[in-house]
Amino acid sequence: MNSSSLQILPDTDAGYTRAADLWRAGGLVAFPTETVYGLGADACNDHAVARIYEAKGRPSFNPLIVHFADLNAVKQHVTWTAEADGLAQAFWPGPLTLVLPKKPDSPISKLVTAGLETLAVRLPAHGPARALLKTFGGPVAAPSANRSGQISPTQPSHVVDGLTGRIDAVLDGGRCDVGVESTIVGLADRPVLLRPGGVTEEQLTACLGHPIAVRKNAEAISAPGQLMSHYAPNAAVRLNATDWQDGELCLGFGAVECDLNLSADGDLVEAASHLFEYLHQLDAKGGAVIAVSPIPHHGLGVAINDRLSRAAAPREG
Ligand code: TXA
Ligand code: MG
């Protein structure tokens, strides 16, 4: 990627084909939806998903929404329920995201869910978004296409201003109609409105036939990294380990001997792409302690260290 360029792709079949090819090659392509522009990558490609977090400059791994072209594809990745069906019938395609249990055999990157066992799924209504997703033919992970802390982009120039030099391309689909992000409804348990958005609470209540619970904790909504606190390895986690003690499972970084190495070359994007998968694999060995090499605290290292310090925090209960 040329650091001064960002390809602007036309809203045509040729543009969709080029964008889909970039996704297949692990690239980052921003695309319009009816709500805001999303920063898309192949949801099954760990490295591409790690690049999303890097491009946004997020200091922590927020779980990402996965976008699909059709309902049957969604059902391959999550456990579908009657309530999901009712809401999907009423509001899909459209500005509604559903959070459902992820199927254990789904090939979606663990970095997309930041280690959670639920997956946020959405079927956008926007014509070019649907055409592009159909051309690609697989799930696309996409947060809003802005740098962390900046406002959400509703036209291509916002994406160009915020992300030039950090992503490969933007599909130019003009201005987004809705302008606020999708409504997020959690369905892993009883229905909960997790984030207000394009579909209103009244519309949801009318569809469900009863009032929907609303998550009151505004902080949990604006800082959803906290959602991850319930996911921690069974093993204790020892950070900044410069030597390994007997019986420890060793998660290395850089040129060290270890059980699994986040990146032998010391590449932070590669390390992020392996983080959740490797924690999971080491934990499955059933040891008492996972020791982790020091991770440099810059770039994606900040998000990696955030996640590791959560995993190492004293457990409640
Ligand atoms: O309209 C939208 O939803 C846009 C367009 C691009 O689709 N996307 C968007 O993504 O707003 P983002 O990353 O800016 O916001 C995603 C939100 C985050 O607050 C995140 O915590 C929540 O979705 N989320 C994702 N997966 C979740 C999960 N498994 N459980 C709970 N919340 C989840
Ligand atoms: Mg956002």
Side-chain angles (χ1 to χ4, degrees):
M1 184 176 29
N2 178 331
S3 66
S4 63
S5 76
L6 187 159
Q7 295 176 55
I8 309 228
L9 304 176
D11 178 14
T12 62
D13 286 346
Y16 307 148
T17 300
R18 176 78 187 127
D21 284 346
L22 284 166
W23 277 339
R24 282 183 203 111
L28 300 184
V29 181
F31 65 104
T33 76
E34 70 275 36
T35 58
V36 300
Y37 272 75
L39 173 50
D42 177 353
C44 300
N45 180 330
D46 291 324
H47 196 265
V49 174
R51 286 190 59 208
I52 291 181
Y53 291 102
E54 185 188 50
K56 285 190 63 94
R58 269 185 177 170
S60 63
F61 295 115
N62 287 350
L64 305 176
I65 296 172
V66 178
H67 299 68
F68 294 86
D70 73 89
L71 185 55
N72 285 333
V74 174
K75 291 178 182 172
Q76 288 168 22
H77 297 275
V78 292
T79 305
W80 200 242
T81 66
E83 268 157 343
D85 213 45
L87 291 170
Q89 297 269 352
F91 303 111
W92 277 3
L96 176 69
T97 295
L98 301 177
V99 176
L100 289 156
K102 183 168 100 155
K103 285 190 174 164
D105 60 352
S106 163
I108 286 176
S109 167
K110 283 194 166 43
L111 196 53
V112 164
T113 56
L116 294 173
E117 279 162 17
T118 52
L119 183 67
V121 292
R122 150 157 151 75
L123 222 75
H126 194 267
R130 288 173 62 79
L132 173 55
L133 290 166
K134 206 166 162 216
T135 303
F136 179 61
V140 171
S144 50
N146 52 292
R147 295 208 60 189
S148 183
Q150 298 184 347
I151 55 161
S152 290
T154 51
Q155 45 180 306
S157 65
H158 298 160
V159 179
V160 171
D161 291 347
L163 294 173
T164 294
R166 309 181 76 87
I167 69 172
D168 298 284
V170 57
L171 185 90
D172 183 353
R175 210 175 273 269
C176 304
D177 295 336
V178 178
V180 294
E181 285 93 340
S182 61
T183 301
I184 304 181
V185 173
L187 289 176
D189 197 353
R190 72 188 171 129
V192 184
L193 178 56
L194 298 175
R195 178 177 77 179
V199 171
T200 66
E201 187 182 337
E202 290 75 18
Q203 287 175 296
L204 294 169
T205 293
C207 174
L208 290 167
H210 58 81
I212 184 167
V214 178
R215 185 164 70 183
K216 287 275 158 38
N217 184 349
E219 197 186 348
I221 295 167
S222 61
Q226 303 200 342
L227 290 167
M228 291 173 239
S229 56
H230 84 253
Y231 173 81
N234 292 312
V237 176
R238 184 168 73 88
L239 302 179
N240 299 314
T242 50
D243 55 8
W244 313 123
Q245 292 165 17
D246 276 354
E248 284 184 335
L249 296 158
C250 309
L251 183 59
F253 178 86
V256 291
E257 295 262 325
C258 51
D259 293 293
L260 288 174
N261 201 321
L262 289 169
S263 172
D265 296 336
D267 175 347
L268 289 166
V269 176
E270 185 187 12
S273 77
H274 292 145
L275 179 65
F276 291 97
E277 181 62 38
Y278 285 4
L279 278 175
H280 199 82
Q281 283 183 27
L282 289 180
D283 205 29
K285 292 179 190 281
V289 179
I290 299 173
V292 190
S293 291
I295 309 292
H297 204 67
H298 59 78
L300 266 184
V302 177
I304 295 171
N305 283 323
D306 170 80
R307 182 63 189 81
L308 285 172
S309 60
R310 287 169 197 279
R315 309 294 158 74
E316 287 157 29

